[in-house]
Every structure is written in structure tokens, then in C-alpha cells.
Amino acid sequence: MNGPNLRAIAAIYKFELHRFRRTWLTGLLVPVITTSLYFIVFGGAIGSRMTEIDGIPYGAFIVPGLIMMSMFTESIFNASFGIYMPKFTGTIYELLSAPVSAMETVIAYVGAAATKALIVGFIIFATAHLFVDLQVAHPFAMVGFMLLIAVSFCLFGFILGIWAQGFEQLQVIPLLIITPMTFLGGAFYSIHMLAEPWRTITLFNPIVYLISGFRWTFFGKGDVGIEFSLLFVGGMLAVCLGIIAWVFRTGYRLKK
Amino acid sequence: MASIIEIKGLTKSYASGFQALKGVDLNIEEGEIFALLGPNGAGKTTMISIICANVRPSGGTVTVAGHDIIRDYRGARSAIGLVPQELNTDQFERVIDTVTFSRGLFGKPRNDAYVEKILRDLSLWDKRNNKIRELSGGMKRRVMIAKALSHEPRVLFLDEPTAGVDVELRRDMWKLIGELRQTGVTIILTTHYIEEAEEMADRVGVINHGQLMLVEDKTALMEKLGKKTLSIMLAEPIEALPPELADWDVALKAEGQEIEYLFDTRAERTGVSSLLRKLGDLGIGYKDLNTRQSSLEDIFVSLVHQEKAA
């Protein structure tokens, strides 16, 4: 066999999507219900008292943050379970013994997890239309940004799945680090609403730049400049790719 | 015959400092069944895991079908099918899906007819739409063999294929392995059951404490196996063997109290009765007789003991 093993990428990708399909009903219902709840609570109950942020109705304002929040957790959970489960059940032996390169493995697992995260993102986007009137200023940038976020966080999830030695560790990072950082990263408010020193402190939270960038694709403006957002997404991609290259070169937690 | 696997100076030290392999050299011939025999912890699984890329070697080289397992891993791995010891399967997948998946993972184009043939050969065709978790342990083992064969490998590794399997299933497995070799695939199996090596292998390698202690044709081993030892406990100890006994393969043991005679049970004349007559003629009395089969197990035990003593 010469050249890349495209059939292996296809086989793993299909296998992973098949795994998602087994739980497609919960997989699709959860984002729809969660989004609806956020709109009822934040949009309806609280939003009626807030009306506008930066000239944007509050209901519409929280949509990018909601999509980002779900995509962060979906990406991390899907990608980390994808590679953790074979380690846990022992079926990883087959992957290790197969003529598949590290790059092909990552493309397949991350590709499948990112696909699901994107689907969830679009479902939330569609659900949001039921509640608020939404105009997207830069639709292509929006899709591109979602793609970048999905891939970056799936890479991060993949690393987490390789590092984790138990189910608890898989849960800890998304629940105890990513979710709080998202809430504090301006998913539901503009950081300009914060008083100092919190406004400055918030700028150390990388999630701020991601949400702000995604909001920019909707409304043409964000908390920080779009160039900073792109810099952070690019940086995250680069760091994750670097770690993954190291993992496969050393066999860290994959091979003895 | 050409070697399909060449192992040179293979070593492995785990992070704990444990030295699992201490310089193994071994060639496997194409088309043979090679049994790697050794007690638990001898290094059998480590050796297989290195060849199948689940463990990194510390030193030495391995080539499979002429491909170095590190530099040319695609070529080497494409030639190998691995059936590990543990029944590790995707419980929620259907049998046919998991076998098709394996074929794709190894870069082979989809071939439903071939997958069907494997499943039929392994008596899994009727279960093809079952989820793996619904199958018995023996059937799961067959699924793992089907996965390993799905990409038409030239070498099949079976790590302890009959560990924890009941007697009947073990017989089935032996029959299956015999049938597989008819297809021309080279089979390397590890076992700690001596009778399994005797039953199936063309050659047997004995490994202990990370070293190959013996590699021999099974027929050569069987010749040793066909021998029996007759121990003659003497009534009175003697100082030396009388020269009249030179025609027999005898030795004086236990400080002159015992004569040991090694004979071939399959020979037309074992020489046992003539020896006993001769002893009577010489006036050497005996109080007891005892015969003992020297088995692969004896050879094995003595090898293991030699090493412990060293």
C-alpha cells in the first residue's frame, strides 16, 4: 500500500458517526431543549428587562454565545470519548496494529467529532430562529468560524481523551474549566457591562475572544477586535496540533 | 522456505525497569505454524505486541514480509492480523460491521464476498447481524479472528487463543487453526499449554524470562517425547555398571542404588525384557521398577530450572 490510507480514515469516520447515530435522538433533543430553556429563562424572563446590549436585542445577543457554549462541550465530549473508549475497552489494539498514520487517526476522529459538533451548532442556530429575529452579517465567516472552533475543541478533546485515565477526568475539564470560563467569557453579556477590575481580568480568559469573534460574524461587532479572535483560534489550533504531534511521536499513554 | 518474519536482537525494558525481552533472535518461515511456549510473564505477549506495534521495542529490529516494522510500518502492518488475548470488541456493533470496519482500517477496498467467506468459514454467517455483546465467549473469539483475517494478512498472530476456553471449544479452535494454515497463512500462536503446541505447531519456541531457550521442529521434539525412562531400583548398590550392559543406554544413578535406562517406546524391540534378563544373569537383584514418559513438559521444566540455577 502506498500513499495515505484514505480507507482507514473513512472507516473510522463512519464508525464514529455510527456511534453518534445510536444515540441520535438524545443527541439532537438535548441541544434543542437546552436552547429553548435558555431562551425562555434568559430571553423571556430576564431579556424583557434588559432589552438591548450594544444596540442588539438581548434575545439575539445571546445566540452566538449559546452556540459556542454547546459546541465547546459537544466537541470536547465527542472527541475525548471517541479516543478514550477504545483505550478503555481495549479495542485500541486494532488501531495501533493497523497501517494508519497518526495524522490519519487524528483526521478521522477529530473529523467525526467536529461533524457532530457542527450539526449541533446548526440545530441551535435553527432553534434560535423560532424565538428571535436573527440577521447574520457575515454568514460565510460564521460557518468558517464554527468550523475552526469545532476542529480546535475536538483536537483539545482528543488530547484530553488520550491523557485521561478515568471517566472522571474526562468530565472534569469540560465541566469545571470550560463551562465556567464560557459563562464568565461573555456568553450572556458584553464584557463592557463589567466594572473594573473585572473587565481587565476577563481579558485573560481566552474564551472571551472566541465568543466575541463569533458574535462579530453575526452583528459585525464584538467585545474585542475580530483580529484578536482569529489570533486566539489560530493559537489554540497550533498548540493542540503541537501536543498531538508530540503524543504520537512519544506514544504517550497509547503504547508502553 | 523464505522467512516472513525476521527478529534480530529484540529487547524491551518497561518504564518500571522490568526487562521483558533480553535479546531475542528468531526467524519465522512462511506458511508454518509456530508455537511460542512459555510460562506467564515469560515475554510472549510483549514479543507479539512489539511486532504488532502495540508496544515499542527498546532495541533490535523486526521485519515482516521484508518491511521494517518502524521505518516501513505500513508495509509491515498490512501483512499482519492480530488476535489479542483479551476479548476486546465493540460490544454494540454488529458482527458484519466490525469485520467490514477492520478491512477498511487496513486500507483494503470493500469486498462483501470475501467478508462473507470469512464469516462462513468461521461459522459466524448466521450471527452476522447480531450485536457482538449477544455472542458467547467462543463466538466473540471467532469474531476477533474474522477481524484479523478481514484484510487478507500473510501472518496471523494468535495470543493465547484458547486461554479460558473449555475443552470442546479448544478442540474447535485447533481444527480452525489447522484449516487456516491450509489457506497458506503463516500462524504464530502463544500458549502455555504444552499439548496445544504439540497438537498444532510445526516448530516450537520456548521462551522464559525474556529469552528464547529453544527453537526446534516439533518432530525433533516428539522424538525426545517418544522416549521413556526405566528406573530400576537395585536391591544392593553397585559400584560401577558391568561392561555387559554396554549394549543398552543405561546410566548409574542415586549413588549406585538405581539404574536408569532410556528407551524408545516406538521401537520394535524396546530392550526392556532383555535388559532385565541380563540383570538376572549377572545376579543383580532389584526391588522395584518404574517407567516415566519424558514429555515436552519435562524438557520445558528442565530448561526453566536450568535457567533458575544459572
Side-chain angles (χ1 to χ4, degrees):
Chain A
M1 180 175 39
N2 297 305
N5 188 349
L6 298 177
R7 292 200 182 92
I9 297 178
I12 297 172
Y13 186 84
K14 246 180 83 182
F15 175 90
E16 282 294 289
L17 286 192
H18 187 237
R19 193 168 64 86
F20 299 146
R21 269 206 300 278
R22 278 202 295 266
T23 52
W24 66 274
L25 196 62
T26 42
L28 299 188
L29 272 181
V30 167
V32 171
I33 290 174
T34 322
T35 313
S36 306
L37 285 173
Y38 274 109
F39 277 113
I40 291 164
V41 174
F42 286 103
I46 300 171
S48 58
R49 291 154 192 255
M50 299 195 34
T51 61
E52 284 191 354
I53 294 179
D54 296 339
I56 304 156
Y58 185 69
F61 179 86
I62 63 169
V63 172
L66 267 179
I67 295 177
M68 280 293 103
M69 189 163 72
S70 287
M71 285 188 68
F72 293 162
T73 45
E74 277 289 329
S75 300
I76 294 174
F77 273 125
N78 293 332
S80 61
F81 271 91
I83 192 68
Y84 180 78
M85 282 311 285
K87 282 204 312 171
F88 178 73
T89 59
T91 53
I92 189 112
Y93 83 86
E94 193 178 26
L95 181 65
L96 292 175
S97 71
V100 184
S101 73
M103 186 61 88
E104 289 153 7
T105 309
V106 172
I107 290 172
Y109 277 103
V110 168
T115 303
K116 194 192 173 195
L118 277 175
I119 291 172
V120 168
F122 286 120
I123 288 173
I124 297 174
F125 182 68
T127 311
H129 278 89
L130 302 176
F131 293 90
V132 290
D133 188 23
L134 262 181
Q135 303 290 327
V136 178
H138 310 284
F140 289 106
M142 180 195 94
V143 174
F145 205 88
M146 284 170 79
L147 190 67
L148 277 176
I149 288 294
V151 170
S152 309
F153 277 78
C154 287
L155 283 171
F156 178 74
F158 189 85
I159 294 167
L160 179 66
I162 284 176
W163 166 80
Q165 287 178 313
F167 283 100
E168 198 190 356
Q169 288 176 324
L170 283 185
Q171 312 261 11
V172 160
I173 302 283
L175 292 181
L176 289 187
I177 299 179
I178 303 298
T179 304
M181 274 169 76
T182 309
F183 268 90
L184 299 175
F188 300 108
Y189 56 81
S190 164
I191 62 167
H192 300 307
M193 295 162 71
L194 297 173
E196 287 294 356
W198 297 111
R199 190 191 297 188
T200 308
I201 290 171
T202 299
L203 290 175
F204 287 94
N205 179 355
I207 302 285
V208 167
Y209 299 85
L210 306 183
I211 292 175
S212 164
F214 193 50
R215 193 169 283 141
W216 177 88
T217 69
F218 275 71
F219 310 118
K221 55 187 167 187
D223 289 346
V224 295
I226 181 69
E227 60 277 10
F228 289 106
S229 299
L230 289 175
L231 201 68
F232 268 85
V233 179
M236 182 167 172
L237 256 176
V239 169
C240 290
L241 284 173
I243 295 174
I244 282 177
W246 173 81
V247 163
F248 278 101
R249 210 176 54 246
T250 58
Y252 172 76
R253 292 206 177 163
L254 282 177
K255 296 186 188 191
K256 284 181 216 133
Chain B
M1 268 194 293
S3 293
I4 189 149
I5 296 184
E6 291 180 15
I7 303 171
K8 287 199 188 80
L10 191 64
T11 60
K12 174 64 187 178
S13 303
Y14 284 105
S16 62
F18 176 67
Q19 235 193 322
L21 291 178
K22 301 169 185 167
V24 170
D25 298 288
L26 178 65
N27 285 357
I28 305 290
E29 311 300 327
E30 176 131 41
E32 73 172 335
I33 298 186
F34 187 90
L36 197 57
L37 189 65
N40 289 322
K44 303 187 294 285
T45 299
T46 298
M47 196 165 130
I48 283 194
S49 299
I50 288 175
I51 302 171
C52 299
N54 273 246
V55 169
R56 282 164 186 275
S58 304
T61 59
V62 180
T63 62
V64 181
H67 305 281
D68 185 275
I69 56 161
I70 309 271
R71 275 198 316 277
D72 187 9
Y73 69 92
R74 282 196 207 266
R77 293 184 199 172
S78 298
I80 297 176
L82 167 65
V83 183
Q85 198 170 334
E86 312 286 336
L87 289 173
N88 301 323
T89 51
D90 290 297
Q91 300 285 321
F92 297 99
E93 291 291 313
R94 293 190 312 157
V95 170
I96 193 155
D97 291 338
T98 197
V99 176
T100 307
F101 166 80
S102 297
R103 187 173 168 86
L105 191 63
F106 279 76
K108 284 276 160 94
R110 192 174 162 154
N111 184 341
D112 292 342
Y114 182 75
V115 169
E116 178 174 343
K117 183 185 176 304
I118 292 175
L119 292 180
R120 286 195 187 279
D121 287 351
L122 291 163
S123 321
L124 284 169
W125 184 244
D126 293 342
K127 305 268 184 196
R128 64 189 181 280
N129 290 321
N130 284 54
K131 293 212 168 95
I132 294 170
R133 63 170 176 166
E134 298 161 1
L135 303 180
S136 66
M139 281 292 176
K140 280 183 188 151
R141 179 85 61 185
R142 282 164 185 266
V143 171
M144 296 189 71
I145 295 175
K147 279 166 78 72
L149 290 173
S150 67
H151 62 280
E152 302 158 62
R154 291 170 68 186
V155 189
L156 182 66
F157 281 93
L158 296 162
D159 196 1
E160 304 269 357
T162 58
V165 163
D166 67 38
V167 179
E168 198 179 337
L169 262 175
R170 193 186 301 174
R171 292 269 160 208
D172 272 4
M173 194 61 67
W174 290 353
K175 191 163 150 270
L176 183 67
I177 292 168
E179 286 163 8
L180 286 176
R181 86 96 60 83
Q182 299 301 317
T183 67
V185 66
T186 306
I187 296 170
I188 296 158
L189 59 97
T190 69
T191 181
H192 53 256
Y193 297 116
I194 282 148
E195 53 165 340
E196 193 157 288
E198 286 181 11
E199 179 79 24
M200 286 190 294
D202 299 310
R203 285 197 305 154
V204 177
V206 177
I207 188 170
N208 196 36
H209 298 300
Q211 282 175 313
L212 258 184
M213 311 181 66
L214 169 129
V215 177
E216 219 167 333
D217 271 7
K218 193 186 59 180
T219 39
L221 273 177
M222 288 309 285
E223 258 164 44
K224 290 180 190 172
L225 280 170
K227 301 249 164 135
K228 266 191 161 181
T229 310
L230 169 69
S231 298
I232 305 162
M233 265 62 85
L234 302 178
E236 302 285 336
I238 55 173
E239 300 243 321
L241 283 169
E244 290 85 344
L245 295 181
D247 289 348
W248 291 269
D249 183 11
V250 287
L252 199 57
K253 292 280 163 84
E255 291 161 350
Q257 295 183 31
E258 208 176 307
I259 291 174
E260 232 178 54
Y261 171 50
L262 194 66
F263 65 99
D264 191 342
T265 50
R266 292 168 303 179
E268 210 164 297
R269 305 169 72 88
T270 58
V272 170
S273 50
S274 58
L275 173 67
L276 293 180
R277 262 201 312 278
K278 192 65 159 184
L279 288 176
D281 293 348
L282 291 168
I284 300 173
Y286 49 89
K287 51 186 181 190
D288 200 5
L289 297 171
N290 175 25
T291 65
R292 190 168 50 82
Q293 180 102 43
S294 61
S295 64
L296 186 49
E297 184 133 21
D298 287 331
I299 297 165
F300 182 66
V301 166
S302 72
L303 280 168
V304 171
H305 276 286
Q306 272 167 26
E307 195 188 310
K308 266 182 193 156

